[in-house]
Amino acid sequence: MSSFEEYFYKNIASQIRKCRIERGLTQEQLSEMLDKNEKYIGHIERCERKISNTTIIQLLDLWQLQPQVFYNFSDFYTW
């Protein structure tokens, strides 16, 4: 995995965890809401699996979250 790809997926994982916790959901509850394996969100949050764009779209729709808010990463990537 390239360093930019690692940066991208770590920030996605961080955003998912933050949003999930803000909504009072467990990893298992969120996995169930997405109709995924009960361990799925845990794997995503630990960067053990890559999340698909389709699942990100499901999350944003579920949470009624604007993409620009979700992709507003707290740190900048340095090439």
Side-chain angles (χ1 to χ4, degrees):
M1 187 179 321
S2 74
S3 61
F4 180 77
E5 190 176 11
E6 185 177 336
Y7 158 84
F8 183 79
Y9 282 108
K10 281 186 177 181
N11 277 282
I12 292 291
S14 176
Q15 289 292 86
I16 290 171
R17 179 177 171 79
K18 179 181 143 243
C19 292
R20 175 183 61 77
I21 290 170
E22 285 174 353
R23 287 157 178 80
L25 298 169
T26 66
Q27 292 175 343
E28 292 78 14
Q29 288 171 324
L30 184 54
S31 292
E32 186 177 301
M33 293 169 96
L34 296 171
D35 197 29
K36 303 286 185 186
N37 177 287
E38 66 181 25
K39 306 270 186 207
Y40 179 75
I41 294 299
H43 291 291
I44 297 300
E45 288 183 0
R46 291 188 300 277
C47 293
E48 296 171 355
R49 290 184 67 176
K50 294 178 183 176
I51 190 167
S52 70
N53 285 327
T54 302
T55 304
I56 291 173
I57 290 167
Q58 285 179 302
L59 280 171
L60 296 180
D61 190 35
L62 177 71
W63 290 336
Q64 298 180 350
L65 188 61
Q66 295 293 327
Q68 64 267 33
V69 173
F70 182 76
Y71 287 108
N72 187 14
F73 301 155
S74 61
D75 59 329
F76 290 97
Y77 182 77
T78 304
W79 277 270

